[in-house]
Amino acid sequence: MNLHRTPIQVESAVQHVMQHKPAVTVEEIGLKQSHGRILAEDIQATHAIPPFPKSPYDGFAISAADTAKASREAPVTFLVTERVGAGQRASRPLRSGEAVRIMTGAEIPEGATCVAMFEICQTIERADKTYMTIKRKMENGQNIIGKGSETEEGEVLVLSGTRINPGVQALLATFGYANVRVYRKPRVGVYATGTELLDVDQPLEPGKIRNSNAYMVMAQIERSGGEPVYLGKLADDFDTCYRAVKNSLSEVDILITTGGVSVGDYDLMPDIYEKLGAEVLFNKIAMRPGSVTTVASLDKQLLFGLSGNPSACYVGFELYTHPFIQSYLGSTNPYHKVINAKLGSDFPKPNPFTRFVRGFIAYEQGNVRVYPAGMDKSAVVTSLARSNVLTVLSGGTRGYKQGDDVYAILLEDNEGAREFHL
Amino acid sequence: MNLHRTPIQVESAVQHVMQHKPAVTVEEIGLKQSHGRILAEDIQATHAIPPFPKSPYDGFAISAADTAKASREAPVTFLVTERVGAGQRASRPLRSGEAVRIMTGAEIPEGATCVAMFEICQTIERADKTYMTIKRKMENGQNIIGKGSETEEGEVLVLSGTRINPGVQALLATFGYANVRVYRKPRVGVYATGTELLDVDQPLEPGKIRNSNAYMVMAQIERSGGEPVYLGKLADDFDTCYRAVKNSLSEVDILITTGGVSVGDYDLMPDIYEKLGAEVLFNKIAMRPGSVTTVASLDKQLLFGLSGNPSACYVGFELYTHPFIQSYLGSTNPYHKVINAKLGSDFPKPNPFTRFVRGFIAYEQGNVRVYPAGMDKSAVVTSLARSNVLTVLSGGTRGYKQGDDVYAILLEDNEGAREFHL
């Protein structure tokens, strides 16, 4: 076992991971199932929007020329020939002197050049016919939403790699995408290693704790858009772990292990990577927690060796595994968004290495504040329940004060970012 | 049909909806399926954390008293009796003069009162035995994480009504919640009304458009935590619509219709509510778009009549239906979070009524800006794809300028809010 480890910087570690380009695959799914997935095709306008000139109001479609001499003193009268609702069409072109009663969203009849709203018209019933009078001049095109005025046919509206939200789903429906091509979710396997681990349904035993990391990581995988595959827990025995890891690789696209990456007597992952013939991208990062986070590659697969410490495991996942899952999903914005924020409370610990602290964001009078958690006992636990950012506390300081400028990594922002810089 | 409508204020309309308390039901699901669901039980610490005193480092567990006279000049020597990894226990209590080699996370052996890290110890092999020497005095309790130092048994850690995120899922696993009680998702039915509507898999026809609102709303329902049920589209025919609406009510918890709530010739929903005997909570709101949004109640069910106009439909859903779905989910934070922000670009339209404009949030040097969309043709479409806020432009102004203070309603923030005020 090679105990010599050279720490690399966080950004550099992220680059090492993201240089690996997974072989993404595409699947076609029903539109109704597509919310939250990543588009694997551009959405193109298959027709103009609106596809025909339409009325934005309820009113009468007429020829503006017929109103040229209309005034208070000399109202112009039209014969109302028919009524057209949305989805209906006039039975024939409009002639001079005729009006069509038209509803919001309905197609403008041929020959009509404007719509007079009900409010400015008077209706008269006479000898079984309906007439309409108007006292003002109308302009050509008035109250008509022209064909293609919102979107022209052929325009590319949303690019491949975009996450499908309600607005995108509306566009897909508009243009007849009953099925949509999206990137297949990567299957992300999770093994928790450690003889101390009990499974969630086992009673507590002396010296043991329940495997919580695997469940935490599975929720993180889901949040990142992957499909979590729980592989179980492994005792700290080389042969058992080696066989389990080796056999699982054909079952999953990405493999995560928690624990066993440190340099203790029972930290087996470095030897397992070696025996597998995997190339270790890095095994030491200049960060806290999670400095022992190790990533290895084997035949285009990435193996993420996350720490067994819960905070380190959480942070390692979000910094390194999250963008790789997003890369598998073909996202154009694979990284978490990093924003500037003010620190909401003191963080008095000296900080030799850059620290990533779970916490939450607060919006105060237009400013963004982040509150790192873990300052007192109870906060550790409640922070777990509330965390939606990682606060970045750069290394080389004796501590941070409330109001200091820091970066915050947004964990639950769906937009993501094209790049990652600290 | 009663055409007289009295507009009410947005906040008042929200209150009318939220005064209806749905009969929430609880279901038990597997922990692995629980991400994103709302807890229907408090999470209580079923044991202390850690459940036993443990070592935060790799080192030697010894009695601090044995080191009382240790110094550079007079190192103290211990017999190393055994090795204890995480998940293992020492075979017998430690005696004076003995040391146990202990790994991170392992239980402190009985009789040991501190842990000396490897870095400050020297190991010597002699006559088939292992000895360890130390040159400094250790304190009682040094490098020991006490039982219950993070959480005491019985503490309530997360309250019912909280959304399950990765941190909460970790806590559930820690305390043995193999299954967890969550609130059942409400089934939210969606009918789109309008003779002009084609379904997504139908070819375009003259005068007609595809039903996009229903698909948009279904994605919104999913984002809000509900279970969307697509009921189809309905032509503007009273008997058809009445029967369809009436029959669907036993199939769903909440019913949404889009279209038909205005006062045009084909706006049938007001008459349908009347014939059903539903009580109309409001049918006119002092807002744009979506002023005709109508909500009616019938035997504890709510019927949301959203506008057929896409923007109005979207806004009506987020303001009124979203919190009601969250109420069904037992959330303690049912409302979207409203924050202060600066307007990122001019919005020159005069604003007689409070306007809710879709747009997106940007974080600029610690400040929050919102960019309303729809200022130019192309923005309408791209904004649909990017929207994650509703910008609130209060009524009674001639327009807004870049930098003006506005409220922004966060649509994709998972934390939500306990209250809703503008």
Side-chain angles (χ1 to χ4, degrees):
Chain A
M1 177 164 52
N2 178 12
L3 292 184
H4 181 71
R5 296 183 170 190
T6 311
I8 66 170
Q9 297 300 310
V10 171
E11 283 179 77
S12 168
V14 171
Q15 277 172 20
H16 275 291
V17 168
M18 295 298 278
Q19 272 161 11
H20 284 257
K21 299 293 174 207
V24 298
T25 55
V26 169
E27 61 184 348
E28 199 167 291
I29 61 172
L31 179 55
K32 276 180 256 180
Q33 282 75 50
S34 69
H35 179 245
R37 300 295 295 269
I38 310 278
L39 277 175
E41 59 183 327
D42 295 343
I43 306 181
Q44 207 172 10
T46 53
H47 57 73
I49 298 231
F52 45 81
K54 70 176 184 182
S55 176
Y57 303 114
D58 296 343
F60 292 99
I62 53 177
S63 162
D66 285 351
T67 66
K69 291 178 179 161
S71 70
R72 249 173 207 284
E73 296 72 31
V76 177
T77 300
F78 294 82
L79 173 66
V80 179
T81 55
E82 59 183 310
R83 180 164 84 162
V84 179
Q88 301 175 338
R89 299 194 94 188
S91 59
R92 61 169 177 77
L94 193 81
R95 293 178 201 134
S96 179
E98 291 178 346
V100 165
R101 189 175 166 93
I102 193 168
M103 299 294 121
T104 305
E107 183 174 5
I108 304 293
E110 205 180 314
T113 60
C114 67
V115 172
M117 292 167 73
F118 282 157
E119 290 86 329
I120 64 160
C121 304
Q122 266 197 310
T123 321
I124 310 147
E125 304 286 334
R126 200 163 52 201
D128 220 26
K129 294 202 164 155
T130 305
Y131 297 88
M132 180 279 282
T133 63
I134 183 168
K135 293 175 178 173
R136 64 173 83 164
K137 189 175 177 296
M138 299 286 294
E139 303 294 333
N140 264 333
Q142 198 172 343
N143 297 334
I144 289 180
I145 303 175
K147 177 181 173 175
S149 57
E150 285 181 27
T151 302
E152 281 164 39
E153 185 174 340
E155 263 189 69
V156 173
L157 302 175
V158 186
L159 293 175
S160 176
T162 304
R163 189 171 174 278
I164 299 175
N165 66 13
V168 174
Q169 199 153 321
L171 287 174
L172 288 165
T174 298
F175 295 114
Y177 290 73
N179 294 300
V180 56
R181 290 162 65 80
V182 297
Y183 290 105
R184 185 176 63 79
K185 295 182 177 197
R187 288 168 57 80
V188 187
V190 182
Y191 265 128
T193 74
T195 303
E196 75 276 24
L197 299 179
L198 299 166
D199 222 323
V200 63
D201 51 2
Q202 291 183 285
L204 212 57
E205 286 174 29
K208 305 214 170 189
I209 57 170
R210 288 203 192 83
N211 168 16
S212 62
N213 281 347
Y215 289 89
M216 177 180 77
V217 166
M218 285 192 288
Q220 289 177 286
I221 292 167
E222 212 173 306
R223 182 167 72 181
S224 292
E227 185 190 326
V229 180
Y230 183 51
L231 298 169
K233 61 187 179 60
L234 296 169
D236 295 319
D237 169 73
F238 184 83
D239 289 332
T240 311
C241 285
Y242 173 75
R243 269 199 310 275
V245 165
K246 190 174 165 61
N247 292 338
S248 69
L249 289 173
S250 59
E251 306 293 316
V252 299
D253 298 305
I254 299 169
L255 181 67
I256 293 174
T257 52
T258 68
V261 284
S262 204
V263 290
D265 297 5
Y266 297 97
D267 289 311
L268 305 168
M269 292 311 299
D271 290 340
I272 289 174
Y273 294 137
E274 196 177 326
K275 185 164 177 185
L276 284 169
E279 180 202 351
V280 172
L281 307 186
F282 50 82
N283 58 13
K284 184 122 185 142
I285 311 167
M287 64 184 264
R288 294 286 184 278
S291 64
V292 294
T293 307
T294 301
V295 179
S297 77
L298 180 65
D299 300 337
K300 298 202 167 189
Q301 251 177 321
L302 286 197
L303 289 71
F304 290 84
L306 304 181
S307 168
N309 169 287
S311 307
C313 180
Y314 189 97
V315 168
F317 178 94
E318 297 298 340
L319 289 177
Y320 308 108
T321 320
H322 168 81
F324 191 65
I325 290 175
Q326 285 281 309
S327 179
Y328 241 108
L329 287 167
S331 171
T332 46
N333 283 1
Y335 302 101
H336 284 310
K337 199 184 279 180
V338 181
I339 65 168
N340 295 93
K342 298 278 183 196
L343 198 60
S345 57
D346 291 351
F347 191 92
K349 282 192 201 172
N351 225 31
F353 296 93
T354 297
R355 194 185 284 275
F356 295 84
V357 185
R358 280 187 284 191
F360 56 90
I361 195 169
Y363 302 92
E364 293 167 10
Q365 298 307 316
N367 299 310
V368 186
R369 289 186 177 270
V370 285
Y371 290 84
M375 289 292 86
D376 55 53
K377 203 185 98 174
S378 64
V380 175
V381 169
T382 51
S383 76
L384 274 167
R386 266 196 91 178
S387 285
N388 52 21
V389 302
L390 294 178
T391 306
V392 186
L393 302 176
S394 298
T397 69
R398 310 195 58 158
Y400 279 83
K401 292 252 172 245
Q402 184 181 349
D404 282 355
D405 289 308
V406 294
Y407 287 120
I409 300 175
L410 304 186
L411 303 178
E412 305 216 327
D413 173 274
N414 288 323
E415 202 178 10
R418 212 168 264 277
E419 294 179 331
F420 179 78
H421 294 298
L422 292 180
Chain B
M1 179 163 51
N2 178 12
L3 292 184
H4 181 70
R5 296 183 172 191
T6 312
I8 66 170
Q9 297 301 310
V10 171
E11 283 178 76
S12 167
V14 172
Q15 277 171 21
H16 275 291
V17 168
M18 294 299 276
Q19 273 162 10
H20 284 258
K21 299 295 173 205
V24 299
T25 55
V26 169
E27 62 184 346
E28 199 166 291
I29 60 172
L31 179 55
K32 275 181 258 180
Q33 282 74 51
S34 70
H35 179 245
R37 301 294 295 270
I38 310 278
L39 278 175
E41 59 183 325
D42 295 343
I43 306 181
Q44 207 173 7
T46 53
H47 57 73
I49 297 229
F52 45 81
K54 71 175 183 183
S55 177
Y57 302 115
D58 296 344
F60 292 99
I62 53 177
S63 163
D66 286 350
T67 67
K69 291 176 179 163
S71 70
R72 248 172 208 285
E73 296 73 29
V76 177
T77 301
F78 294 81
L79 172 69
V80 179
T81 54
E82 59 182 312
R83 180 163 86 162
V84 178
Q88 300 175 338
R89 299 194 95 188
S91 59
R92 61 167 176 78
L94 193 81
R95 292 179 203 133
S96 179
E98 292 179 345
V100 166
R101 190 176 164 90
I102 193 168
M103 299 296 122
T104 305
E107 182 174 4
I108 305 295
E110 205 180 315
T113 60
C114 68
V115 171
M117 292 168 73
F118 283 156
E119 289 87 329
I120 65 161
C121 305
Q122 267 198 308
T123 321
I124 310 147
E125 305 286 334
R126 200 163 51 202
D128 219 25
K129 294 201 165 161
T130 306
Y131 297 88
M132 178 279 279
T133 63
I134 183 168
K135 293 177 179 174
R136 65 173 82 163
K137 188 173 177 298
M138 298 287 295
E139 304 293 334
N140 264 333
Q142 200 172 341
N143 296 335
I144 289 181
I145 303 174
K147 176 180 174 177
S149 58
E150 284 182 26
T151 302
E152 280 164 40
E153 185 174 340
E155 265 188 68
V156 172
L157 302 176
V158 186
L159 293 175
S160 177
T162 304
R163 190 170 173 278
I164 298 176
N165 66 13
V168 174
Q169 199 153 318
L171 287 174
L172 287 165
T174 299
F175 296 114
Y177 289 75
N179 293 300
V180 56
R181 290 161 65 79
V182 298
Y183 289 104
R184 185 177 64 78
K185 295 182 177 195
R187 287 170 58 82
V188 187
V190 182
Y191 266 127
T193 74
T195 303
E196 75 276 25
L197 299 179
L198 299 166
D199 222 322
V200 64
D201 52 2
Q202 291 184 287
L204 212 57
E205 287 175 27
K208 304 214 170 188
I209 56 171
R210 289 202 191 84
N211 168 17
S212 62
N213 281 346
Y215 289 89
M216 178 181 77
V217 166
M218 284 192 288
Q220 290 178 285
I221 292 167
E222 214 174 304
R223 182 167 72 181
S224 293
E227 184 190 327
V229 179
Y230 184 50
L231 298 169
K233 61 187 179 60
L234 296 169
D236 296 319
D237 170 72
F238 183 84
D239 290 330
T240 311
C241 287
Y242 173 76
R243 267 198 311 274
V245 166
K246 189 173 166 59
N247 292 338
S248 69
L249 289 174
S250 58
E251 306 294 315
V252 298
D253 298 304
I254 298 169
L255 181 67
I256 293 174
T257 52
T258 68
V261 284
S262 204
V263 291
D265 296 6
Y266 297 97
D267 289 309
L268 305 168
M269 292 311 299
D271 290 340
I272 289 173
Y273 294 137
E274 195 177 328
K275 185 164 176 185
L276 285 169
E279 180 202 350
V280 172
L281 307 186
F282 50 82
N283 57 14
K284 185 123 186 142
I285 311 168
M287 65 183 265
R288 293 287 183 279
S291 64
V292 294
T293 307
T294 301
V295 179
S297 78
L298 181 65
D299 299 337
K300 299 200 166 190
Q301 253 178 319
L302 287 196
L303 289 72
F304 291 82
L306 304 180
S307 167
N309 168 287
S311 309
C313 180
Y314 189 96
V315 168
F317 178 93
E318 297 298 341
L319 290 178
Y320 308 108
T321 320
H322 167 80
F324 191 65
I325 290 175
Q326 285 281 310
S327 179
Y328 241 107
L329 286 167
S331 171
T332 46
N333 284 1
Y335 302 101
H336 284 311
K337 199 184 277 181
V338 181
I339 66 169
N340 295 93
K342 298 276 184 198
L343 198 61
S345 57
D346 291 350
F347 191 94
K349 280 192 202 172
N351 225 29
F353 297 93
T354 296
R355 194 184 283 275
F356 294 84
V357 186
R358 280 188 283 193
F360 57 89
I361 196 168
Y363 302 91
E364 294 168 8
Q365 299 306 316
N367 300 310
V368 185
R369 288 186 178 272
V370 285
Y371 290 84
M375 288 294 83
D376 55 52
K377 201 185 97 176
S378 63
V380 175
V381 169
T382 51
S383 75
L384 273 167
R386 265 197 92 179
S387 285
N388 52 21
V389 301
L390 294 179
T391 305
V392 185
L393 302 175
S394 299
T397 70
R398 309 197 59 158
Y400 278 83
K401 291 255 173 244
Q402 184 181 349
D404 282 353
D405 289 307
V406 294
Y407 287 120
I409 300 175
L410 304 186
L411 303 178
E412 303 215 329
D413 173 273
N414 287 322
E415 202 179 9
R418 213 169 264 279
E419 294 179 332
F420 180 78
H421 294 298
L422 293 179

